[in-house]
């Protein structure tokens, strides 16, 4: 396409889910409810871990950071969508779109690494229980969190800077409810090959390697647990991993589901609806998964809301 057909794009149009006013009201109410549940649920997990000294352990340290990342992950996309519906506008600025891509990738990748670190924590706790406090010391926990944050920042920064090199034509409609990286690359009328290469290698390195680490950790956990002679002991060991394994399955299951649904259909709206699972539903369900069967979290939440006696 010739240079004369290219324009300096200052805004994009987020098409969202539907043009019908009745459905817009339904979407607004649904997403507002899910966002409030996500924000409140994850915030309660963070407050429970901070205020209860019994939860000052590596497992709950990483859980509180996962909950904080989930709050930020949901806040990257949903408030802007709700604001657009309320204002009856579909516009997002070019700078806002780039910022949304950066923060969406940042907290998405951070979620991924935190789940991997939590799998390693469970591996050490079950396979090396006598050395757990020595291995998972405060210094290592801080280092693992810092490494996760830096890696997530570098990857999201690289992807965002790669978008800046793209030129866009007059077609600036994004068939999504947020600035999704792949959709934005498809809109470009300049060479997108370098962007596609970076996206491919980032997906392989930052997706496959953490998942491999999780699977390796759980293979060792299963082998170790099966050596326990008593059924009660095996159940107790597996119960400490149940919540994390559920969240991992939900995180990767929805992500892979969106990927395969996008590959199988050319309907961008259908892909946008499918992406709701990992952008909204997964962060909303995580607090419930970790609190429903976790006695320590339940007790911490009860303590958080129980009335404090007045001191005289």
């Amino acid at each position: 396409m010739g240079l004369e057909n290219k324009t300096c794009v200052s805004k994009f149009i987020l098409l969202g889910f539907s043009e019908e006013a009745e459905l817009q009201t339904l979407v607004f109410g649904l997403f507002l409810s899910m966002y409030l549940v996500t924000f409140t649920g994850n915030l309660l997990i963070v407050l429970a871990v901070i205020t209860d000294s019994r939860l000052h352990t590596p497992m709950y340290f990483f859980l509180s950071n996962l909950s904080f990342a989930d709050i930020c992950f949901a806040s990257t996309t949903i408030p802007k969508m709700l604001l657009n519906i309320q204002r009856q506008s579909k516009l997002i600025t070019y700078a806002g779109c780039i910022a949304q891509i950066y923060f969406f990738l940042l907290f998405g990748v951070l979620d991924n690494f935190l789940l991997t670190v939590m799998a390693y924590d469970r591996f050490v706790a079950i396979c090396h229980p006598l050395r757990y406090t020595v291995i998972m010391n405060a210094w290592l926990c801080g280092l693992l969190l810092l490494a996760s944050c830096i890696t997530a920042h570098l990857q999201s920064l690289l992807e965002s800077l790669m978008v800046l090199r793209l030129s866009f034509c007059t077609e600036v409609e994004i068939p999504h409810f947020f600035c999704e990286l792949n959709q934005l690359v498809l809109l470009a009328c300049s060479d997108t090959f370098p962007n596609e290469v970076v996206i491919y290698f980032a997906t392989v390195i930052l997706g496959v390697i953490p998942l491999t680490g999780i699977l390796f950790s759980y293979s060792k956990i299963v082998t170790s647990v099966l050596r326990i002679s008593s059924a009660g002991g095996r159940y107790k060991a597996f119960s400490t991993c149940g919540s994390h394994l559920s969240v991992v399955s939900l995180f990767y299951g929805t992500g892979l589901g969106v990927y395969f649904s996008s590959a199988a259909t050319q309907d961008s709206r259908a892909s946008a609806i499918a992406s709701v699972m990992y952008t909204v539903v997964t962060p909303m369900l995580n607090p419930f998964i970790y609190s429903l069967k976790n006695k320590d979290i339940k007790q911490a939440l009860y303590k958080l809301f129980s009335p404090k006696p007045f001191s005289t």
Side-chain angles (χ1 to χ4, degrees), residues 9 12 19 32 48 59 110 167 222 226 228 235 242 244 258:
V9 173
F12 293 98
E19 301 285 347
L32 178 60
M59 181 177 74
L110 183 57
S167 299
V222 170
L226 291 178
I228 301 175
Y235 175 78
H244 177 260
V258 171

Side-chain angles (χ1 to χ4, degrees), residues 230-248:
S230 66
R234 288 196 296 269
Y235 175 78
K236 183 178 180 181
F238 274 129
S239 64
T240 63
C241 304
S243 298
H244 177 260
L245 196 56
S246 299
V247 171
V248 168

Side-chain angles (χ1 to χ4, degrees), residues 18 135 283:
S18 174
I135 297 175

